[in-house]
Amino acid sequence: NFNTMIEGLREWERMKVIEFELEKGQQIQKDFLPGRLPKVPNWEIAICFQPAGQVAGDFYDVFKMPNGAVGLVIADVCDKGVGSALYMALFRSLIRVFSMQSVADQPDDRQIQQSDREIVRTAVSMTNDYIAQNHGDECMFATLFFGVLDPQSGELAYINAGHEPLYVISPAGIRTALKPTGPAVGLMPSAQFEIQQIHLHQGDLLLGYTDGVTEARSAEDKIFTRERLQSLVGTPGQSAADLLETIKRELFAFIDREPRNDDVTMLAVQRMPATR
């Protein structure tokens, strides 16, 4: 009848408004991520970012600092949907602001390795405390890796806050895994995060990823697994971009047409081999 038709039109209009708002949110979220990755001499940086829906809880960041260091971030905010996407923007902004503030506070005569460790500690601790103290009632948190790379020396100071282990891959295969050094960010005020440091040699490649990779499911309800990922990254001689393409090809062939229920994000950073 006429009333049913009018109600149907109103529902259609409501759905179009929601769709429009989600598309706008998707564009705003994209604007929070680096449009272009910074160029770092003698280093290759590659990214894979595939949201499962219109907005994502995963995020990454690569940015240069005034002291010449490079900030590297890969993270996964808990939950899904618009709320997770909003917190993604907040986490990303806080890490950038607090790390830049920490650089400004460093005395000029400090060694870069010492100041990089301080940048990592300050940015992660202050982001954690801000989220836990101001948004604790929402119980939102993020697993997060934040590293500060000195591109001249290859030294990487980092905190892995409850995130998936990152792999350091040498030309011979997987050299080590950068396992969690503290809890997820935002769970509790004054949480303790241990700072670690590793040297990336010529030819070494750092690979970060979110659990949307390792926990992806096939049509047969099988899980991709960390072991399957390790078998792909253990193949030596791949560039950062080539490695991500290899993983993407195998991952999406594994998923096939099965709907994805989680975002897929990867970050690869390689120190160029001497022969390039």
Side-chain angles (χ1 to χ4, degrees):
N1 60 31
F2 181 74
N3 289 336
T4 302
M5 200 163 82
I6 292 298
E7 187 56 37
L9 284 171
R10 286 173 178 167
E11 182 63 25
W12 179 83
E13 287 177 349
R14 283 195 290 268
M15 294 301 295
K16 294 302 288 183
V17 168
I18 292 171
E19 184 180 334
F20 173 76
E21 292 297 327
L22 280 173
E23 288 177 357
K24 188 163 65 173
Q26 184 183 43
Q27 186 57 51
I28 291 171
Q29 185 177 50
K30 283 182 179 178
D31 292 342
F32 272 97
L33 301 172
R36 291 182 180 178
L37 297 176
K39 300 292 184 182
V40 183
N42 303 314
W43 292 82
E44 180 190 358
I45 304 172
I47 284 291
C48 169
F49 180 65
Q50 298 279 342
Q54 287 183 289
V55 290
D58 283 9
F59 70 97
Y60 67 90
D61 205 358
V62 181
F63 55 96
K64 288 187 176 181
M65 299 181 180
N67 66 349
V70 179
L72 304 170
V73 182
I74 186 166
D76 184 358
V77 180
C78 69
D79 207 359
K80 295 176 177 65
V82 175
S84 180
L86 290 171
Y87 272 90
M88 160 262 161
L90 179 58
F91 275 100
R92 179 265 186 191
S93 298
L94 291 173
I95 286 289
R96 272 213 181 201
V97 168
F98 290 141
S99 60
M100 292 296 187
Q101 176 182 311
S102 182
V103 171
D105 292 342
Q106 295 301 325
D108 293 337
D109 59 350
R110 293 194 65 177
Q111 294 181 355
I112 190 166
Q113 289 89 346
Q114 293 175 320
S115 62
D116 286 353
R117 292 174 67 90
E118 185 62 22
I119 293 166
V120 171
R121 184 197 67 78
T122 300
V124 174
S125 296
M126 292 184 73
T127 298
N128 174 81
D129 291 351
Y130 181 91
I131 297 292
Q133 291 167 4
N134 293 281
H135 302 283
D137 292 343
E138 285 84 14
C139 298
M140 295 298 287
F141 60 88
T143 66
L144 181 148
F145 175 93
F146 178 44
V148 174
L149 172 69
D150 175 5
Q152 297 299 318
S153 67
E155 291 295 321
L156 176 72
Y158 70 90
I159 285 174
N160 183 337
H163 198 71
E164 296 286 324
L166 282 78
Y167 296 118
V168 177
I169 307 155
S170 75
I174 296 175
R175 175 155 70 92
T176 190
L178 309 186
K179 297 179 180 179
T181 62
V185 175
L187 282 175
M188 65 192 83
S190 303
Q192 297 300 305
F193 301 95
E194 183 181 350
I195 305 167
Q196 296 283 353
Q197 194 159 322
I198 190 167
H199 182 79
L200 299 179
H201 304 280
Q202 287 184 330
D204 280 355
L205 188 153
L206 175 71
L207 174 70
Y209 56 95
T210 58
D211 60 11
V213 175
T214 52
E215 295 178 10
R217 291 182 177 273
S218 69
E220 295 78 26
D221 203 33
K222 294 181 179 179
I223 299 176
F224 193 74
T225 72
R226 194 178 291 168
E227 289 72 25
R228 190 186 296 263
L229 176 63
Q230 289 173 351
S231 71
L232 296 174
V233 305
T235 304
Q238 299 187 82
S239 69
D242 289 343
L243 177 59
L244 294 195
E245 283 301 319
T246 297
I247 298 170
K248 280 168 59 179
R249 184 173 59 249
E250 294 294 326
L251 177 65
F252 288 108
F254 176 84
I255 297 170
D256 196 17
R257 297 181 182 178
E258 192 68 10
R260 287 188 294 119
N261 58 7
D262 205 354
D263 309 318
V264 169
T265 306
M266 293 182 284
L267 166 68
V269 181
Q270 185 179 35
R271 190 174 189 182
M272 295 295 196
T275 54
R276 283 196 186 179

